[in-house]
Amino acid sequence: MNPSPYPVPFTSAHVRARIVKILLIAGAVLTCISLFAEVLSLGFPLLGEDQDVGDNPVGAALMLLIFLLAMLELLIYVSTVIFFCVWLYRAADNLVAFNPWSRTDYSPGWSVGSFFVPFVNLVVPYRAVKEVWQKSATADDLLLSTPGAPAIFPIWWLFWLLASFAGNISMRVSFNENVPERTATIISIGASALFIVASVCAYLVVDAIDKKQEEAARKVKLGKFAEPPLPQPMPNVLAPVTDPNYSQQTS
């Protein structure tokens, strides 16, 4: 039974947001370590194809470290994408709970799916995330005005696009034998730096939306209303009197 005047119950996305933030921090830390290892490789060349481990032990150790970090970064990145999509879907779906009489420009499915559509993913995901923040408020608050997104939102999206482009270029360059290894390393360092900034900004965006939704949920107490007490049985006034003193008093 849902005694709340809001027909759609609110389902908190706080746990999902916390997982996303932890993964973003882990990814940023790993990328920092990887960036440091790549900087070291500029001064200590990696193990060449015609070299043995004994000929260049430092280069062999750096190569192994960079490889392991790359595998961990890939695992964390895939996990972050999955949990971010799960969180964003839930957060977008909660907009109906806050204001069931207001229409949204982007459905929960499209908010997530737009990230994977070429060219569309340059604009629509940012607008969808921005809408989630703007409409994560009670109906009364939205009647007053529609707030603009904080400055961190466009900054996050700018660095996300730059990091994506730089990462794509770095991957293509790393497989091009005509590009010097030093040049490929410098491009990879730049891409890693952009990714770190994008991760920090994404953390702040997720945190801002999560806090706003939890605050709005506390205001209207969606899904937290206590159920009304069960009705008590009425006494049967027509039941026969069983008190023996009653007949003596009336005689």
Side-chain angles (χ1 to χ4, degrees):
M1 183 175 182
N2 182 26
S4 171
Y6 294 81
V8 180
F10 168 78
T11 303
S12 176
H14 182 64
V15 175
R16 296 175 177 87
R18 182 176 298 179
I19 294 175
V20 173
K21 290 190 291 184
I22 292 174
L23 289 172
L24 286 170
I25 293 174
V29 171
L30 281 174
T31 305
C32 285
I33 300 174
S34 178
L35 188 151
F36 179 72
E38 289 179 327
V39 171
L40 287 179
S41 69
L42 293 177
F44 302 93
L46 300 179
L47 185 68
E49 295 181 357
D50 55 345
Q51 289 181 321
D52 295 329
V53 176
D55 298 333
N56 188 4
V58 176
L62 279 176
M63 179 177 290
L64 178 61
L65 177 62
I66 291 174
F67 174 77
L68 293 177
L69 289 173
M71 293 297 101
L72 286 175
E73 283 183 89
L74 179 60
L75 178 61
I76 294 296
Y77 179 78
V78 173
S79 301
T80 305
V81 169
I82 294 174
F83 280 98
F84 180 87
C85 291
V86 172
W87 164 79
L88 180 59
Y89 186 94
R90 170 52 56 197
D93 195 46
N94 280 335
L95 300 184
V96 182
F98 292 130
N99 191 355
W101 303 278
S102 176
R103 297 185 61 183
T104 57
D105 295 330
Y106 305 99
S107 66
W110 185 232
S111 298
V112 173
S114 59
F115 277 90
F116 305 97
V117 180
F119 301 107
V120 173
N121 56 10
L122 298 177
V123 178
V124 174
Y126 169 74
R127 292 180 177 178
V129 173
K130 178 182 176 182
E131 182 182 56
V132 171
W133 187 88
Q134 289 177 321
K135 296 187 177 180
S136 293
T138 62
D140 294 337
D141 292 337
L142 291 176
L143 285 176
L144 300 176
S145 63
T146 302
I152 192 61
F153 278 66
I155 295 175
W156 157 67
W157 191 245
L158 173 63
F159 277 97
W160 166 254
L161 292 179
L162 291 176
S164 299
F165 293 147
N168 190 11
I169 294 173
S170 177
M171 183 181 63
R172 293 176 180 273
V173 166
S174 63
F175 290 104
N176 191 340
E177 298 180 354
N178 297 325
V179 177
E181 183 177 342
R182 186 179 183 85
T183 302
T185 302
I186 293 175
I187 295 176
S188 178
I189 291 173
S192 298
L194 290 172
F195 180 80
I196 293 171
V197 178
S199 298
V200 173
C201 294
Y203 178 98
L204 297 176
V205 168
V206 173
D207 186 65
I209 294 176
D210 179 52
K211 288 181 178 178
K212 192 173 183 182
Q213 288 205 345
E214 292 299 309
E215 180 183 358
R218 284 191 294 268
K219 284 184 179 180
V220 297
K221 297 181 180 179
L222 294 177
K224 298 180 181 179
F225 288 83
E227 293 188 1
L230 295 176
Q232 299 296 326
M234 296 294 293
N236 190 354
V237 296
L238 300 179
V241 179
T242 58
D243 189 355
N245 297 326
Y246 179 77
S247 59
Q248 296 177 1
Q249 294 174 358
T250 56
S251 62

